[in-house]
Amino acid sequence: MDHESLARCVPRAVPGAIVALSLSAKLTLEPKEGLTARFGRNRPEVDVCVGETDLRVSRTHGTLTHRDGHWWVRNIGRLPIRLPRTRLLFRDEDPVPLPEGYTPLFIRGSRDREHLLEMYVVGWNGGQPAAQYDAMTRPPKRWSLTADEHLALVVLGQRYLLHEANPQPISRQHAAEVLSELQPNATWSAKRVEHVVADVRARLSARGVYGLVREEVGEPVGNALNDNLLRELVMSTTLVPTDLALLDPS
């Protein structure tokens, strides 16, 4: 069955309004300071019902509140809410502001079911942006790297560029060994690799890339910081598969 989706279209509404859509409910709220709506499994008690037949979804799983010109989503349920870019919002954490436009929220229920709650914050024109068929395509935002940073990150992230399933960064020690073979006159060590990568993470974090500092990923950190960094570099096309040619010493 083909269900309505806010990703395809959204009804016109006043700027700043929010439209919330689940499989069984739809709600439009105009921006009003302090206005709060609830979503969850208990249809009689919430404003938007989601996961009605799934006991893993809390009866009231979260809230939407308009405050300071933004709509904020808060989790008060037992399970985390997954936001875009794999961000997880846990119970009683600080609420997260929703950006203008489309945002899907997911609640994982029983037997790996994913319950979708679509959000759309209406922009200044009161609806969907106009189609721009003939407009020039905007290039991705590529990040500036020095030659050493670029080479080190290609080495560290080679599994991502090789399209391996569930790739992970190679170890700093292994990366240092590969770099030393590629640049025998340079002084590469695991410590230097660590410093180079940490500098890039700090620079991108300062420019708004999420998930590159410990406070944003939680414990245990493991490879999460470098994994997030490499995914950002690949998705932005800062690193591309043809960069693997740098690993050929010939």
Side-chain angles (χ1 to χ4, degrees), residues 3 21-26 43 48-51 115-118:
H3 294 288
L21 178 68
S22 69
L23 191 63
S24 58
K26 184 176 183 179
R43 182 186 291 270
V48 182
C49 183
V50 58
H115 301 282
L116 170 63
L117 179 58
E118 297 181 272

Side-chain angles (χ1 to χ4, degrees), residues 117-136:
L117 179 58
E118 297 181 272
M119 302 288 182
Y120 195 98
V121 177
V122 179
W124 64 271
N125 65 346
Q128 285 272 34
Q132 301 182 60
Y133 303 114
D134 297 327
M136 294 291 292

